[in-house]
Amino acid sequence: MATPQSGLEPTQDASGQARRERLKTLREAALHRPVLARHLSDGFNGRWSRRQWVQASLFATIGMLVASIVPGFDGLDTVPAHVQRQSMALTLPPLPLARTQGEQGDSWQVVQVEPGQTLGELFEQMGVPATTMYRILEQPGAKQVLTRLRPGAELGFDLPVNGKLRTFRFDRDDTHRVELSIGEDTITEQVTERPSHVRTVVASGEISSSLYASARKAGLSPAAIATLTDEIFQYDIDFSHTQKGDRFSAVYEQVWREGERIGTGEIAAATFTTGGKTYSGFRFEHDGQVGYYTADGRPLKKAFIRMPIPYARVTSGFSKARKHPVLGRTRRHDGVDYGAGTGTPIHAAGDARVKFIGWKSGYGRTIVLDHGRGYTTLYAHMSRFGKYKRGSSIKQGTVIGYVGSSGLATGPHLHYEFRINGVHRNPLTVTMPPAEPLKGAALAAFQAQTAPALARIRQVEQIMYAKVASAEKAKPAKADSKA
């Protein structure tokens, strides 16, 4: 057994040696084999081939896409890691010494009354008990003001840090402020006057669509517009027929307080230009009566108004003979009938005393007014009277009764008669007696008072309408048709 084994050893050693040599040769060849990069770089002459440019562009595009897509994954929800939090106390600014000690002057809170808000709701909102409110209302004059508060009114509450009302403030009127210092047992009142001043201004405008719209745009209040139409110029101008281009001006006073306009006064002077004619009116007090006068001192208020019912329609005129709608026979109609609905107010045609009031046969409910100097007026077929009796003094324009159909009437209307010394006259055409003009010292005082106002109106109108006047002067004159 030993001999054969010893005989194979030389052969195995020779084959193993050969394998080792072969492996060594392959390893040496692999180590010295050129790689792709070296192969590509071999023979590089400083310029890239077309294939190299294509590969480089492809790699660059892929890199840009990866760079733009990868950051988008940053917003993916991740489970928040537990972070330990710590709190830190910050030092706040110290309260003013006056506030900490509750001193007056550093704790006022001013609130405005909202529409529909009551005084009790305001006190509850401020945390003030109702018992304190009732104590305030018991003060002289406080209840009359505080229970009639209008939206926008301001109330002041002096509430220190302890929350107990110390002082309450409100405005008694436009110029007086009341402060109530509230103690445990008593309340002390202090009234201070709020300074105000008056400015005299001129409002002027030209009608473009309507008088009301143009006057409001010029700054006049609705009350001032009513004064123009219903008091100053009601006898001379028919405002239902005003037209585009008519002009108006008014001098009036404004009351200012602390930079805020709190009210307006009466119109001191006014002008109205229509149909090429200018009317003027100036406010003046004479013998205890305030009225408006023309520039020469004649009252604008006429002795009578022609229509006891403004803007009413005439249903039957003044006639010597007509067929009575109820009796059916021909008879005189010594007045004018105005058709209006039942309950329409009837106004006194002039200043007068009540001569008769009551039922007057076919006239029904009737009032007869005596205006003096032989003038009387009659108002018939009323539904009811005003609160007057025989001998009562009545001013022009006062409502003396209401339209009805009492007596011999087929429907609701007013029968109106105008008499001079007992003779019936047509109230639509009769010449009304002129009012007495100012004379002597009264006229001199009137002219001295009204001259500055008239000068201001002329100054404003010259500035506002200078361009219009220049354009009118530049128009060529019309040739005479007879030439």
Side-chain angles (χ1 to χ4, degrees), residues 66-199:
V66 172
S68 61
I69 293 174
V70 171
F73 292 95
D74 291 344
L76 295 176
D77 293 337
T78 58
V79 179
H82 177 72
V83 180
Q84 185 177 4
R85 293 180 174 85
Q86 293 182 351
S87 60
M88 180 175 59
L90 297 176
T91 303
L92 296 176
L95 288 173
L97 182 62
R99 197 63 177 271
T100 57
Q101 295 180 354
E103 293 182 5
Q104 190 172 3
D106 195 59
S107 52
W108 278 102
Q109 299 184 44
V110 180
V111 296
Q112 281 192 343
V113 179
E114 300 292 337
Q117 197 171 31
T118 65
L119 185 67
E121 292 173 346
L122 280 169
F123 272 74
E124 183 179 359
Q125 173 185 324
M126 301 304 297
V128 179
T131 54
T132 304
M133 180 186 71
Y134 294 137
R135 289 182 61 194
I136 291 174
L137 292 175
E138 292 174 354
Q139 299 304 304
K143 186 175 182 178
Q144 289 77 1
V145 177
L146 296 177
T147 55
R148 294 177 175 85
L149 292 173
R150 295 182 178 181
E154 292 185 348
L155 301 177
F157 294 81
D158 178 21
L159 291 166
V161 290
N162 60 13
K164 189 174 182 180
L165 183 63
R166 180 169 45 206
T167 310
F168 179 68
R169 183 175 69 199
F170 65 93
D171 293 332
R172 176 175 293 170
D173 50 42
D174 289 338
T175 57
H176 294 88
R177 171 164 288 176
V178 178
E179 286 193 3
L180 300 176
S181 299
I182 302 172
E184 292 293 337
D185 302 320
T186 59
I187 295 180
T188 305
E189 178 184 272
Q190 181 181 1
V191 181
T192 58
E193 185 173 355
R194 306 178 69 183
S196 61
H197 63 279
V198 177
R199 300 178 186 174

Side-chain angles (χ1 to χ4, degrees), residues 328-402:
R329 62 175 182 263
T330 302
R331 59 187 296 182
R332 290 175 58 90
H333 189 244
D334 293 325
V336 175
D337 291 348
Y338 296 96
T342 300
T344 302
I346 301 171
H347 303 270
D351 296 344
R353 288 188 179 276
V354 178
K355 184 178 180 180
F356 174 85
I357 182 169
W359 191 275
K360 193 176 180 67
S361 63
Y363 285 114
R365 293 184 182 88
T366 304
I367 289 182
V368 179
L369 300 182
D370 184 359
H371 304 277
R373 295 182 293 174
Y375 292 89
T376 59
T377 54
L378 178 145
Y379 313 79
H381 304 308
M382 292 184 179
S383 61
R384 57 191 177 95
F385 302 117
K387 296 181 179 180
Y388 301 102
K389 59 183 180 180
R390 184 175 179 178
S392 297
S393 179
I394 294 178
K395 292 293 183 182
Q396 184 185 74
T398 302
V399 176
I400 57 175
Y402 302 88

Side-chain angles (χ1 to χ4, degrees), residues 9-10 28 56 79 103 135 215 239 247 286 294 384:
E9 288 178 1
E28 292 290 339
V79 179
E103 293 182 5
R135 289 182 61 194
F239 285 99
R247 302 172 187 170
H286 176 57
T294 62
R384 57 191 177 95

Side-chain angles (χ1 to χ4, degrees), residues 201 203 211-212 215-216 218-233 239 248-254 261 263-272 292:
V201 298
L211 171 61
Y212 185 85
R216 291 291 288 152
L220 292 178
S221 65
I225 298 172
T227 300
L228 284 177
T229 58
D230 301 341
E231 187 172 355
I232 302 178
F233 299 121
F239 285 99
F248 60 89
S249 296
V251 178
Y252 65 101
E253 294 180 341
Q254 294 179 342
R261 190 177 72 178
T264 57
E266 298 289 342
I267 293 180
T271 62
F272 199 97
Y292 286 91

